[in-house]
Amino acid sequence: FLHARPAQLPELFAAVALALLSAGAVRFVLWPIERRTPPAAAPPPLPGTGLARPTTRQAFQATVACGFALAVGQILSEDRWYWAVGTAWWIFVNTASRGETLVRG
């Protein structure tokens, strides 16, 4: 995989040790500090039920868009159709309104 030679092993071991130290510092030093802050207040529930609820409607729209992207992606390329689906999904990630979705698109 890496085509590593015995002469490169000390460098690779140092890289793995640095990665473990960084992960340990984040997990055992920074994360507990973050967890000491009080949690934010829960937002009020959204009005509506079914497709009248904005989050449900957006989930339905994202599903339909990914299905359409899957079909078009298969027509364009049988090997890389997943890029079209990934792009359609990424457009809907972390958007809260039609305007944000349009800007990301």
Side-chain angles (χ1 to χ4, degrees), residues 2-61:
L2 294 175
H3 303 289
R5 296 180 193 91
Q8 294 174 317
L9 288 179
E11 295 173 9
L12 293 173
F13 288 142
V16 169
L18 179 63
L20 289 174
L21 284 172
S22 300
V26 169
R27 168 64 178 95
F28 297 109
V29 177
L30 297 177
W31 195 25
I33 291 172
E34 179 183 299
R35 294 181 80 189
R36 285 187 211 133
T37 60
L46 296 171
T49 58
L51 289 178
R53 189 175 196 171
T55 53
T56 305
R57 186 174 53 248
Q58 187 179 25
F60 183 76
Q61 289 169 346

Side-chain angles (χ1 to χ4, degrees), residues 64-81:
V64 170
C66 286
F68 181 73
L70 179 100
V72 172
Q74 280 285 335
I75 292 169
L76 293 176
S77 172
E78 291 182 9
D79 296 331
R80 293 184 181 88
W81 56 267

